[in-house]
Amino acid sequence: MTAFRLDAEVQFLKGVGPRRAEQLARLGITTVKDLLFHFPVRYEDRRNIRPIASLSEGETFTIRGVIHETNEKRLRFGKSLFQMGIRDATGILRCVWFNVRSDYLKKKYSVGQQVVATGRVHLGKTERSFEMPHPDIVVVDEGEDEVTGGILPVYPLTEGINQGTMRKVVAAALAAAPPVPENLPPLLLERLHLPPRHEAVIGIHRPDPGTPPEKLATCRTTAHKRMIFEELFLIECAMAILRSRNTERVRGVTIPATDGQSASVTARLPFELTPDQQAVLGEILDDLRGEHPMNRLVQGDVGCGKTVVAAVTLTLAAMNGFQGVLMAPTEILAEQHFSNLTKAKNVFPLRVELLTSGTKKKDDIRARAAEGEIDLLIGTHALIQQSVAFKNLGVAVIDEQHRFGVMQRAELMKKGDRPNTLIMTATPIPRTLAMTLYGDLDVSTIRTMPKGRQAIETKIIRLAEKAKAYLLINNEVKKGRQAYIIYPLVEESEKSELKAATVMWKVFQEQVFPHLRVGLVHGRMKQEEKNEVMHRFMRREVDVLVSTTVIEVGIDQPNATVMMIEHAERFGLAQLHQLRGRVGRGADKSSCLLAIEYPLSAVAKERLKVMTETGDGFVIAEKDMELRGTGDLLGTRQSGLPSLRMANLVRDFEILKFARNEAFELVRSDPELQKPEHRGLRAEMQRDWRERFQLVDVG
Ligand code: ADP
Ligand code: MG
């Protein structure tokens, strides 16, 4: 009975009407196909149901039976003790809930219902009687288990649709839908022993009753492996195509920089490059000399020496007659790059200009850039992308404080004459993310810090220890140092943020540090006002800078030696690490104080512990990903990485590596997916996939 097409609207399915359809739409489900791809997040495994008489103390069991009585004992403050007896053919189990508001339990469970209960078993009051405190209870729909063989899919839900309804609706879709067309090359599937797509979709909703429980729990059935592989393979195909189009199949600007030239520049530095810096510079040199444009990401913690490597690269370009551009995320950082490079003119003998909103002779600078009379132009992304032309641009350096989206990058690459592009990011990312987010780029990593860098002492401070923290800030300022205080603000509204920030600043200035100069930056200030405060901080006219968000700290002041982060428990791990990187940039010992307020969640505790244990951004990034799971990894969504349906980058790293190799090989053999056997793949990328990823136009 395949009267339905995959793109038919769900409301025409059995058991779904306009109202259900509306509810499903909230989950992004509008077609029959959407339902087929609404995958369970986990399974309820009822194959291991134990007779009540066989239970033993202290272990977790699942039992099944009928509710034969319920009762409640009223306690104080509207709380109750709620009890329920479940009977199977072998005995009775008492389920107990202590100190609950029992109304909702009474409503949910009634005598005569079939239920499955899972929980830890304790000895009851009488001989051989058992209790299960606070069990998980599932009310069983008649006949359900017969259909699923005891393995029940657990779906993401929305208000108005319960698990039983969702199971029925998905079952209706499975019954009515035609086979889902294959999108991967059959030969590939055969070689990898993966099932066809249609089979995999069914297998995920209705796992084979013989599936070992651990395979279900870890998503390692062949059906799961197939869908995980598919998802990652498609991403990697897009990456491979991007790479092929932007790098491998195009000619770029070739810059014949020699090792001798490179050595002559680095010899002028007041220090020796670290081995990691040297290795990265070597990779860059190879890229410059090659006929394809460089598309390289250099990642490493703040202060590891990325900018120095970029400056050497730009100098080499100039020595060979090419221009360079350096784009910074904020005007302040652009100014800092400009001032640092100007100061180091003997090392980097470049004709440098700065282009910001405040620049006086903008037209003059633009004209000279176009004439080739400027070696290096520094500015913000926005300014430079908008309005500048070059005579012979050889190298574009993009300084990223945070992650840069795949999409924005793709936009950028379309501009200009394919200069060699070097992206610097101070956000170390785990390898798996690098493969997906930056999968089309070459990635260079600087892991080690220059010698003599001191670790930042990181301490957790409780409310009662605040006074000590203030004292430390005071003492540092007395020594001529500066401090940051970071404050998370819940942005309820513009007005309330403004008010909270102002109040906070007042408290610090008037009560805590009346004798110091306290500055404030927050998200609701005008850009000029922010710049004004940050400039004052740079000129050391502000001792303590109170800042409400991360973005505002786009600033590099080596004289700052203390940072206090208020409500540190509210920040993500990567964010905390980024923030902490604002101190410890000079020769002096720096500290980071993580002020917390109870209660702390287990995850928050773990995050804070990691912060006190390590300063290595890569370790922190891995841990961050592990703690968050990849679904809601901070920043990935904004960065253009599609949310993953099935794959989990932590769990599925091996599959990812594998999918990546396969994808790159396939695209190498058929760069635009023109071969007949790749038709399905191409169609997939053109349709659904393009909507989701908005990444690659497969022509
Ligand atoms: P990043 O761009 O990664 O934040 P920078 O290139 O700005 O790092 O370097 C941070 C500081 O360390 C700068 O003052 C720079 O001069 C210094 N530095 C860079 N590389 C070395 C090195 N190999 N040895 C000593 N100091 C270095
Ligand atoms: Mg090149």
Side-chain angles (χ1 to χ4, degrees):
M1 52 175 253
T2 52
F4 282 87
R5 289 164 40 133
L6 282 174
D7 61 1
E9 286 174 39
V10 280
Q11 63 161 314
F12 301 116
L13 279 173
K14 196 174 138 217
V16 184
R19 195 173 58 91
R20 280 255 181 278
E22 235 167 70
Q23 292 165 335
L24 287 168
R26 285 205 298 265
L27 290 165
I29 299 169
T30 56
T31 66
V32 170
K33 182 171 178 199
D34 294 336
L35 258 182
L36 296 184
F37 284 83
H38 188 59
F39 291 140
V41 282
R42 61 187 178 83
Y43 300 89
E44 211 181 283
D45 199 340
R46 290 195 196 154
R47 291 171 301 171
N48 208 1
I49 285 174
R50 297 281 298 260
I52 290 174
S54 76
L55 302 186
S56 55
E57 201 205 353
E59 283 179 64
T60 297
F61 290 103
T62 299
I63 61 108
R64 175 171 183 164
V66 176
I67 301 179
H68 82 115
E69 63 164 356
T70 65
N71 66 63
E72 64 173 323
K73 219 182 257 157
R74 292 245 167 234
L75 306 172
R76 276 186 301 174
F77 309 122
K79 299 286 181 69
S80 306
L81 175 80
F82 187 79
Q83 310 189 54
M84 167 165 124
I86 300 175
R87 181 207 299 274
D88 73 0
T90 69
I92 290 175
L93 177 75
R94 204 169 72 105
C95 296
V96 216
W97 287 262
F98 303 103
N99 246 345
V100 285
R101 298 194 176 275
S102 57
D103 300 353
Y104 122 96
L105 289 170
K106 271 199 299 197
K107 230 192 266 165
K108 219 166 145 190
Y109 307 120
S110 49
V111 172
Q113 271 176 334
Q114 278 261 2
V115 291
V116 172
T118 306
R120 226 178 153 75
V121 170
H122 292 250
L123 230 41
K125 288 199 185 70
T126 59
E127 185 83 4
R128 290 299 305 153
S129 79
F130 292 113
E131 272 182 18
M132 206 182 255
H134 295 259
D136 271 342
I137 303 268
V138 178
V139 179
V140 175
D141 276 345
E142 275 319 313
E144 236 178 6
D145 294 3
E146 285 76 72
V147 177
T148 60
I151 303 173
L152 282 97
V154 178
Y155 294 102
L157 300 174
T158 181
E159 211 185 311
I161 299 189
N162 64 24
Q163 212 46 258
T165 307
M166 186 59 91
R167 284 174 191 153
K168 276 182 201 142
V169 170
V170 171
L174 283 170
V180 179
E182 185 55 65
N183 58 359
L184 299 184
L187 277 176
L188 179 70
L189 292 177
E190 212 171 289
R191 186 157 55 77
L192 305 181
H193 305 290
L194 291 173
R197 197 169 191 221
H198 184 60
E199 211 172 281
V201 167
I202 293 176
I204 283 179
H205 293 292
R206 299 245 178 89
D208 187 280
T211 311
E214 69 279 5
K215 282 201 173 175
L216 270 186
T218 55
C219 296
R220 282 296 175 270
T221 69
T222 51
H224 283 94
K225 281 200 266 188
R226 144 87 213 208
M227 295 313 295
I228 292 168
F229 175 84
E230 173 188 317
E231 184 163 45
L232 297 172
F233 181 77
L234 287 171
I235 293 180
E236 292 305 322
C237 274
M239 292 298 159
I241 291 172
L242 271 180
R243 181 175 175 84
S244 163
R245 287 183 186 172
N246 291 329
T247 307
E248 274 154 21
R249 281 189 291 143
V250 286
R251 290 192 76 98
V253 181
T254 297
I255 301 179
T258 64
D259 292 350
Q261 286 176 328
S262 172
S264 74
V265 179
T266 53
R268 292 196 294 262
L269 285 167
F271 45 75
E272 217 175 301
L273 291 181
T274 63
D276 281 0
Q277 284 173 314
Q278 282 172 18
V280 173
L281 187 57
E283 289 168 338
I284 292 172
L285 275 170
D286 283 344
D287 288 350
L288 294 181
R289 295 171 193 149
E291 61 177 22
H292 304 300
M294 168 166 77
N295 280 303
R296 185 169 291 280
L297 176 81
V298 179
Q299 61 166 345
D301 265 324
V302 163
C304 71
K306 299 180 294 292
T307 309
V308 169
V309 173
V312 173
T313 306
L314 291 161
T315 307
L316 290 172
M319 289 165 83
N320 289 280
F322 290 94
Q323 290 173 290
V325 60
L326 171 53
M327 294 187 258
T330 67
E331 295 213 340
I332 300 263
L333 286 172
E335 284 164 23
Q336 286 178 359
H337 280 311
F338 177 71
S339 124
N340 290 342
L341 279 166
T342 314
K343 274 186 223 146
K345 202 130 206 163
N346 60 325
V347 184
F348 310 113
L350 299 165
R351 291 172 294 175
V352 191
E353 288 293 347
L354 176 70
L355 188 66
T356 63
S357 59
T359 303
K360 296 268 156 49
K361 298 179 191 156
K362 284 201 191 78
D363 289 338
D364 174 54
I365 289 179
R366 287 197 192 103
R368 281 162 52 218
E371 288 298 315
E373 286 163 16
I374 290 173
D375 297 319
L376 172 59
L377 187 64
I378 301 177
T380 62
H381 302 157
L383 248 174
I384 286 179
Q385 280 177 22
Q386 278 163 19
S387 62
V388 188
F390 293 90
K391 185 163 182 232
N392 57 346
L393 185 60
V395 175
V397 176
I398 304 170
D399 178 12
E400 282 302 328
Q401 288 286 296
H402 304 280
R403 287 170 203 142
F404 202 30
V406 176
M407 280 167 63
Q408 291 114 295
R409 249 189 320 105
E411 278 306 302
L412 198 76
M413 285 179 184
K414 283 183 199 152
K415 290 189 199 248
D417 277 341
R418 300 200 178 276
N420 296 290
T421 308
L422 190 66
I423 301 169
M424 301 190 284
T425 174
T427 313
I429 54 176
R431 273 222 297 158
T432 45
L433 259 188
M435 276 184 204
T436 43
L437 208 50
Y438 297 123
D440 57 318
L441 301 179
D442 292 305
V443 178
S444 296
T445 301
I446 303 182
R447 257 202 105 119
T448 47
M449 287 285 172
K451 274 197 224 80
R453 212 47 78 71
Q454 296 191 57
I456 302 166
E457 190 179 6
T458 302
K459 270 198 243 155
I460 295 173
I461 55 169
R462 285 152 239 272
L463 212 53
E465 299 165 315
K466 269 281 177 63
K468 264 200 267 173
Y470 295 152
L471 196 63
L472 176 67
I473 292 176
N474 242 319
N475 288 340
E476 286 296 306
V477 174
K478 248 191 237 159
K479 285 192 268 171
R481 303 286 167 253
Q482 289 162 281
Y484 295 102
I485 296 177
I486 310 290
Y487 220 91
L489 270 188
V490 194
E491 279 183 63
E492 279 162 17
S493 73
E494 296 196 10
K495 259 203 188 131
S496 71
E497 168 164 352
L498 193 65
K499 186 154 163 261
T502 316
V503 167
M504 208 174 60
W505 173 77
K506 267 205 146 132
V507 169
F508 280 116
Q509 177 65 85
E510 289 171 8
Q511 292 169 30
V512 186
F513 304 116
H515 52 293
L516 304 182
R517 296 163 299 178
V518 182
L520 171 71
V521 273
H522 62 78
R524 298 298 160 211
M525 284 163 87
K526 289 209 190 74
Q527 192 58 51
E528 303 94 80
E529 292 172 334
K530 284 188 221 170
N531 285 352
E532 166 62 23
V533 177
M534 293 200 277
H535 277 129
R536 278 182 18 230
F537 190 71
M538 287 308 295
R539 294 196 300 261
R540 304 193 189 181
E541 293 163 13
V542 164
D543 305 308
V544 179
L545 184 63
V546 178
S547 169
T548 58
T549 58
V550 196
I551 319 296
E552 317 312 333
V553 203
I555 194 172
D556 184 357
Q557 174 53 284
N559 191 49
T561 51
V562 203
M563 171 175 287
M564 178 165 85
I565 303 177
E566 299 265 14
H567 284 290
E569 76 278 359
R570 292 194 200 159
F571 289 94
L573 202 40
Q575 216 177 357
L576 287 172
H577 178 66
Q578 284 297 309
L579 284 169
R580 179 169 63 181
R582 296 288 131 200
V583 291
R585 299 166 82 103
D588 297 305
K589 179 103 198 146
S590 290
S591 10
C592 176
L593 307 169
L594 305 172
I596 54 166
E597 251 169 60
Y598 291 102
L600 292 182
S601 69
V603 177
K605 248 186 225 156
E606 183 67 26
R607 283 200 297 260
L608 295 166
K609 185 161 153 270
V610 173
M611 284 298 291
T612 58
E613 282 172 355
T614 181
D616 184 331
F618 289 92
V619 173
I620 288 174
E622 295 283 352
K623 196 73 199 170
D624 191 32
M625 185 151 122
E626 202 181 298
L627 286 177
R628 285 170 185 282
T630 47
D632 60 345
L633 199 76
L634 179 87
T636 48
R637 244 173 234 142
Q638 297 94 298
S639 323
L641 181 72
S643 57
L644 299 169
R645 220 178 234 155
M646 186 98 248
N648 172 317
L649 294 183
V650 177
R651 182 191 65 202
D652 302 326
F653 183 37
E654 291 304 318
I655 302 182
L656 171 64
K657 277 196 287 190
F658 187 69
R660 181 173 170 84
N661 283 339
E662 291 290 341
F664 273 71
E665 202 157 294
L666 183 137
V667 169
R668 215 169 289 136
S669 75
D670 185 13
E672 293 294 327
L673 310 180
Q674 298 289 348
K675 291 184 183 168
E677 64 268 32
H678 298 150
R679 198 178 292 147
L681 186 59
R682 188 154 162 246
E684 178 77 26
M685 296 184 81
Q686 272 170 334
R687 260 185 290 111
D688 302 17
W689 204 71
R690 186 159 134 205
E691 275 164 36
R692 263 178 83 200
F693 296 70
Q694 297 176 357
L695 200 65
V696 175
D697 270 318
V698 182

